[in-house]
Amino acid sequence: MTGTRQKPILVLALGNDILGDDGIAFYAARALQEEFSAVADFTETAEAGLALMEMLEGYEYALLMDSVMTGQCDPGTIVEFQTEQFKKVVAPSPHYAGLPEVLELSARLGLDMPTGMRILAMEVADPFTLREELTPDVARALPNLVDAARAILEEWRASVPCTNTH
């Protein structure tokens, strides 16, 4: 991808909606898609690593949403990560490229990556069991993730030039 995208904002929902709670970002993105369709592209993907580089390139802003299972918070807790937190991460394997490695490689290659990037994740109870439903705690907390994402998108929408909505 070269050049800029037509819409300035990317909402990148990461996960897998047949693995229960792992699909929480998809549900949140779908809840916001109509409201922000004039200024944002929405992508749902189970991809990771270097595939994200192409998805992110050319956007001014990117909101990444995902599930996490740290065991340090109750399921349904929203956690926001800053890209600055990733600079000290060491990849677990030379064959693995997570978001920190993607961002670092993109910078080294001089790619046109978003200048504004926010990462929202929800602590989940079970992202491993094959099922299409969310666990009850995560389902109850979904509106909180949608509201947190909406606040970010409204802030960015206010900062971009007028966009033709027709």
Side-chain angles (χ1 to χ4, degrees), residues 33-47:
Q33 191 163 3
E34 184 176 328
E35 184 178 349
F36 293 96
S37 64
V39 294
D41 287 325
F42 287 76
T43 299
E44 296 179 2
T45 184
E47 296 274 356

Side-chain angles (χ1 to χ4, degrees), residues 81-89 100 103 115 117 119:
F81 297 98
Q82 306 297 323
T83 55
E84 295 80 21
Q85 291 174 284
F86 297 148
K87 292 185 177 173
K88 296 177 183 171
V89 173
L103 296 175
T115 56
M117 184 177 295
I119 303 144

